[in-house]
Amino acid sequence: EIAGALSGSDEREAREKRRWEALVEIVEVVILAIVAVATAWSGYQAARWDGRQAFLYGASSTLRFAADAAETRGAEQQLQDITTFNTWIQAHQDRDDQLADLYVDRFSPEYRVAFHAWLATRPFANPDAPPGPIFMPEYRNPELERADALNEHAQETFEAGTAARETADRYIRHTVLFATVLFLVAIAQRFRFRGVRIAASVVAGGLMIVALNGVVSLPRL
């Protein structure tokens, strides 16, 4: 009877041990499956955000080149208008109206508007008049304005590229966390002590939840 009781107790303990080992193994398999998928997703997103960063940086450089070209054209047009205006001043002083009108016709359309507005201030009699058309509020230089707009767009695009790089870095950091989870699960499987194995699995599960929350909160492409 004593031997039978001891044998029955050993069998119950063996069944309980097999039961908790099976339960822990199921938990570990679930963790491994989730982490494997999450790691692949996180790596995929990191790669896509890296690609977006490169694209945005390239677009920013293209916009910068276009802005430089527009600024060069605007400066050349402005210089031409100022030079023509100086020759108009000379013709006006010489009272050569025909030549002066010829120079006015050579102004750019935007400069001509400012020129007529400047004449309305009676600059040759009014000491408070602006020194030239370029100082009038009516003066516009479309190419310089376009250069400013392109530079602003280029800066916004560059900042978006920087944000994409930071997003990719955050995905990589979470990939490292997932790798840590895999390491903890692998270590836990080496232990035969119930408490140590369960503790390692709990830590791995908690770290997995933290990493998953971080990945879900990140923007996606």
Side-chain angles (χ1 to χ4, degrees):
E1 291 181 359
I2 294 175
L6 291 175
S7 177
S9 177
D10 291 340
E11 290 179 359
R12 285 193 300 272
E13 290 180 358
R15 285 196 300 270
E16 290 178 1
K17 183 177 181 180
R18 288 193 297 271
R19 189 180 302 115
W20 79 261
E21 286 181 346
L23 180 61
V24 171
E25 287 177 356
I26 291 172
V27 171
E28 290 172 347
V29 169
V30 171
I31 291 176
L32 290 174
I34 294 174
V35 169
V37 174
T39 300
W41 170 258
S42 185
Y44 167 73
Q45 285 294 315
R48 292 206 62 181
W49 282 101
D50 279 336
R52 181 169 178 80
Q53 170 208 341
F55 171 79
L56 290 172
Y57 279 172
S60 178
S61 297
T62 301
L63 290 169
R64 293 288 187 193
F65 286 127
D68 290 342
E71 186 173 6
T72 299
R73 289 193 299 269
E76 290 174 349
Q77 183 62 62
Q78 189 177 73
L79 179 60
Q80 179 180 346
D81 284 332
I82 293 173
T83 303
T84 306
F85 173 72
N86 290 336
T87 55
W88 176 88
I89 289 287
Q90 184 63 46
H92 178 77
Q93 289 177 345
D94 295 340
R95 299 184 184 279
D96 190 344
D97 294 337
Q98 184 177 1
L99 183 60
D101 291 341
L102 178 62
Y103 287 136
V104 171
D105 291 338
R106 293 184 179 274
F107 290 150
S108 65
E110 297 79 16
Y111 192 88
R112 191 179 302 116
V113 171
F115 172 76
H116 289 300
W118 176 75
L119 286 180
T121 64
R122 300 172 61 246
F124 298 104
N126 179 12
D128 295 327
I134 198 172
F135 298 97
M136 298 295 295
E138 290 83 1
Y139 174 72
R140 291 181 57 252
N141 189 312
E143 288 297 332
L144 292 180
E145 292 175 356
R146 181 169 179 267
D148 290 339
L150 287 171
N151 277 320
E152 183 178 354
H153 190 192
Q155 182 62 31
E156 292 173 354
T157 304
F158 182 84
E159 291 173 357
T162 301
R165 182 190 62 194
E166 293 173 352
T167 301
D169 289 342
R170 288 197 291 269
Y171 270 108
I172 292 173
R173 285 197 293 270
H174 286 96
T175 302
V176 173
L177 289 179
F178 288 133
T180 304
V181 173
L182 295 176
F183 173 76
L184 289 174
V185 172
I187 289 296
Q189 292 175 344
R190 304 294 298 176
F191 291 103
R192 289 293 174 258
F193 295 102
R194 181 184 304 183
V196 175
R197 188 169 182 179
I198 291 176
S201 297
V202 168
V203 172
L207 190 59
M208 179 192 69
I209 292 174
V210 171
L212 285 175
N213 286 334
V215 168
V216 170
S217 66
L218 291 176
R220 295 173 291 279
L221 288 177

